[in-house]
Amino acid sequence: MKDNHAVSKRLQKELMELMRCADKGISAFPESENLFKWIGTINGPQDTVYAGHKYKLSLEFPNSYPYAPPVVKFLTPCFHPNVDTCGLICLDILKDKWTALYDVRTVLLSIQSLLGEPNTQSPLNQQASYLWPNQAAYKKYLDEFYNKHKDS
Amino acid sequence: MAETSEAQASASASAPGGDAGGEDDKRDERMLECNICLDTARDAVVSMCGHLFCWPCLHQWLETRPSRKVCPVCKAAISRDKVIPLYGRGNTKQEDPRNKQVPPRPAGQRTEPENNSGFPGFGFGEGFHMSFGIGAFPFGVFTSTFNFGDSRPSAAPHGTAQYEEEQFLSKIFLWVAILFVLWLIFA
């Protein structure tokens, strides 16, 4: 109970920080009264094939936050080498490279930059990984995929 | 009329100044925030790499990953003995409930100045003593082995099977002892 209090206190601080100095292209807010579940949005980074796309994500914070990372998932289907069909993200800072210093803001910024710089060495989505070197074809496929799924 | 407007002007002029002061205060406060709970550091400790934490926060961080103890900020190696507690002037004794669950933060390490001429070998005193103890063992075996053949009341007479056996055993023990010594020297 005490720990829970510490976690919600930290999450409140993060929320205030996020609202005070909003970064371009990312936002996040608790889903409801529950501070442990947030909805974030990421705009596809400029000068990448993802430019102009907008992605919704869910962030769930464990009771051991910030000692353990939040569970982050894409809600908007995302065609990307490191995102699987369920929206799970393969990103080192959300796993073994996590440190207590990271927060909602840095997590969302990292995912945003992951969009433009995928790691095609260990892909979750093989098709996206194969297609990535051909950026023109990738963009075409991505736009179709996005328009088909963006409302789901 | 002019006076009021002037007063208003000065009031409005001073307002941003006051805000700026508030910003500065806020920045100063953030300087002393724990990097984990983002709150003003309580029971503050600072790592060798210079990063500030509450001791309870840092302790919990170290507990959650005992195999990989790194600074949450810069990922430098960090440990319980490698942090320095910060004792401010307003060191009141407010008991924090979490303090009871974590060990008290490590005490400051206060090294006496000068006195640099101490015997340098003391640093590894324990290891030294231990290896000496093991080293003495084969010599004990040696002495007992070499004394074995001397006039012992129970020594078997020459030529009997028991005598042969004893000679054989003593040779084995001698070789074991030699091997042990060689192992100690070369391992």
Side-chain angles (χ1 to χ4, degrees):
Chain A
M1 213 39 215
K2 256 176 255 139
D3 273 16
N4 254 350
H5 176 69
V7 182
S8 40
K9 203 170 165 192
R10 159 143 176 172
L11 286 170
Q12 246 156 16
K13 287 217 159 221
E14 285 192 33
L15 182 59
M16 270 161 59
E17 196 86 344
L18 265 177
M19 294 201 307
R20 209 162 55 87
C21 41
D23 285 272
K24 262 193 192 160
I26 61 159
S27 66
F29 206 76
E31 190 181 47
S32 57
E33 290 284 285
N34 182 5
L35 256 182
F36 287 73
K37 209 162 178 230
W38 291 31
I39 299 290
T41 56
I42 291 178
N43 293 344
Q46 295 299 318
D47 307 319
T48 70
V49 288
Y50 289 91
H53 296 186
K54 198 171 179 181
Y55 292 95
K56 255 181 150 180
L57 299 99
S58 73
L59 298 99
E60 275 184 58
F61 301 92
N63 285 340
S64 50
Y65 184 79
Y67 304 102
V71 179
V72 187
K73 272 201 243 173
F74 272 97
L75 294 176
T76 313
C78 179
F79 181 74
H80 185 276
N82 306 115
V83 180
D84 75 1
T85 47
C86 303
L88 293 172
I89 305 161
C90 180
L91 183 59
D92 55 358
I93 67 149
L94 291 176
K95 301 195 166 68
D96 54 322
K97 291 277 166 65
W98 171 260
T99 105
L101 187 75
Y102 294 146
D103 53 14
V104 175
R105 189 177 148 268
T106 51
V107 162
L108 291 181
L109 285 175
S110 301
I111 294 172
Q112 191 185 37
S113 67
L114 178 73
L115 285 179
E117 294 155 28
N119 172 10
T120 47
Q121 297 304 307
S122 60
L124 281 176
N125 184 334
Q126 296 278 353
Q127 193 196 354
S129 176
Y130 280 130
L131 208 54
W132 179 257
N134 185 349
Q135 289 279 289
Y138 193 96
K139 169 113 182 96
K140 190 161 171 285
Y141 186 91
L142 183 70
D143 288 346
E144 281 168 17
F145 181 90
Y146 183 75
N147 286 326
K148 202 161 63 185
H149 291 287
K150 71 176 170 189
D151 299 324
S152 61
Chain B
M1 282 299 274
E3 268 178 27
T4 31
S5 69
E6 213 178 290
Q8 274 172 351
S10 69
S12 63
S14 70
D19 277 1
E23 277 292 299
D24 277 357
D25 283 355
K26 258 197 181 144
R27 206 169 301 145
D28 282 352
E29 263 172 42
R30 292 193 60 191
M31 283 282 293
L32 299 174
E33 275 175 8
C34 163
N35 280 291
I36 293 177
C37 68
L38 313 181
D39 215 337
T40 308
R42 288 171 308 104
D43 286 344
V45 294
V46 66
S47 61
M48 287 294 182
C49 42
H51 297 114
L52 182 71
F53 306 96
C54 305
W55 170 243
C57 292
L58 184 65
H59 178 260
Q60 196 169 342
W61 170 251
L62 296 177
E63 287 287 294
T64 46
R65 45 193 63 217
S67 56
R68 220 168 57 86
K69 294 187 173 175
V70 294
C71 169
V73 183
C74 68
K75 300 191 173 171
I78 195 170
S79 75
R80 194 181 189 285
D81 308 322
K82 291 280 167 70
V83 297
I84 300 161
L86 294 180
Y87 302 129
R89 212 168 71 85
N91 208 354
T92 49
K93 280 199 174 179
Q94 19 172 278
E95 273 297 319
D96 181 74
R98 282 196 291 177
N99 279 355
K100 285 166 193 160
Q101 286 164 29
V102 301
R105 61 180 159 162
Q109 297 158 15
R110 199 175 167 280
T111 323
E112 288 292 336
E114 355 165 5
N115 273 351
N116 262 343
S117 54
F119 176 55
F122 279 132
F124 48 90
E126 232 171 274
F128 177 73
H129 281 298
M130 206 166 78
S131 58
F132 181 74
I134 293 171
F137 171 59
F139 297 109
V141 172
F142 258 119
T143 47
S144 66
T145 312
F146 286 136
N147 291 336
F148 197 61
D150 288 359
S151 57
R152 281 192 166 221
S154 61
H158 287 228
T160 61
Q162 200 189 347
Y163 176 76
E164 297 285 333
E165 239 172 63
E166 274 175 10
Q167 286 295 311
F168 179 61
L169 272 178
S170 74
K171 267 181 192 154
I172 285 181
F173 278 123
L174 183 63
W175 279 109
V176 166
I178 288 170
L179 284 176
F180 189 68
V181 169
L182 289 177
W183 174 74
L184 274 182
I185 291 169
F186 292 111

